């Protein structure tokens, strides 16, 4: 049964009246028109839907909207500061780590989540953290270079 659910999305308070069991990804895309987060597998295996919930990488496709009530959700749309891209976005651009772009928002949010927890990750920590992020264009070499660059210049995101 629909009920009002209040949360913070990209720094702004939002209230949606909906079934609390709906996936966060569906609410972001369909109710809040935030379509940057993509639906790949829909079952927590590809990382395309990754957002940050209270600063932690989260698969929005398998997270219910009810479970994020009162929490802070950051999507790719909220990452830049005005015209200034986040250092992770800059790193992806600098390394040309984007092909079709479908995986890119989830990859970037995954990297931001990693850097929130490990500001200076080793290659092994990068590979472990990003293991669940799939790129159907197989752009992994450039992605790794971008993540290394981002780790070099990244900053903590709330
Ligand atoms: Fe969420 Fe694949 S769409 S992990
Ligand atoms: Fe196409 Fe990764 S750039 S899926």
């Amino acid at each position: 049964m629909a009920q009002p659910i209040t949360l913070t999305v990209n720094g702004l308070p939002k209230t949606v009246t909906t079934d609390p069991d709906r996936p966060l990804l569906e609410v972001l895309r369909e109710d809040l028109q935030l379509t940057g987060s993509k639906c790949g597998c829909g079952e927590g295996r590809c990382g395309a839907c990754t957002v940050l919930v209270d600063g932690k990488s989260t698969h929005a496709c398998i997270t219910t909207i009810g479970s994020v009530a009162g929490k802070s959700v950051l999507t790719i749309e909220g990452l830049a500061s005005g015209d200034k891209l986040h250092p992770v976005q800059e790193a992806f651009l600098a390394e040309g780590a984007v092909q079709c772009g479908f995986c890119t928002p989830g990859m970037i949010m995954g990297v931001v989540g990693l850097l929130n927890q490990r500001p200076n990750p080793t290659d092994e920590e990068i590979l472990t953290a990003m293991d669940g992020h799939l790129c159907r264009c197989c752009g992994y070499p450039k992605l790794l270079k971008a993540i290394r660059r981002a780790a070099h210049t990244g900053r903590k995101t709330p």
Side-chain angles (χ1 to χ4, degrees):
M1 190 166 65
Q3 63 186 60
I5 296 166
T6 299
L7 67 160
T8 300
V9 180
N10 297 336
L12 298 173
K14 298 283 181 187
T15 299
V16 289
T17 299
T18 190
D19 179 345
D21 290 333
R22 282 178 73 207
L24 170 61
L25 180 62
E26 188 179 293
V27 174
L28 289 171
R29 290 180 56 85
E30 296 182 9
D31 298 37
L32 300 177
Q33 285 75 53
L34 294 170
T35 56
S37 308
K38 306 303 183 202
C39 185
C41 65
E43 51 187 40
R45 292 172 186 268
C46 75
C49 63
T50 302
V51 298
L52 301 190
V53 176
D54 288 346
K56 289 190 180 163
S57 298
T58 302
H59 289 147
C61 68
I62 54 169
T63 300
T64 64
I65 182 68
S67 72
V68 298
K71 297 186 178 179
S72 179
V73 175
L74 184 67
T75 73
I76 190 74
E77 288 91 345
L79 198 54
S81 303
D83 289 341
K84 185 164 174 43
L85 293 179
H86 187 281
V88 176
Q89 292 173 306
E90 295 279 13
F92 272 60
L93 277 179
E95 296 294 348
V98 178
Q99 293 183 66
C100 79
F102 188 84
C103 71
T104 310
M107 289 273 184
I108 288 175
M109 298 312 290
V111 176
V112 174
L114 166 64
L115 297 181
N116 281 349
Q117 294 194 307
R118 303 287 299 174
N120 297 297
T122 63
D123 268 9
E124 192 179 345
E125 287 170 333
I126 290 171
L127 293 174
T128 299
M130 300 305 290
D131 191 38
H133 288 263
L134 304 182
C135 174
R136 61 190 181 184
C137 300
C138 293
Y140 297 110
K142 285 190 173 182
L143 283 165
L144 183 57
K145 285 178 77 175
I147 296 168
R148 283 196 190 116
R149 178 188 279 258
H152 210 62
T153 58
R155 62 177 160 84
K156 201 169 186 301
T157 300

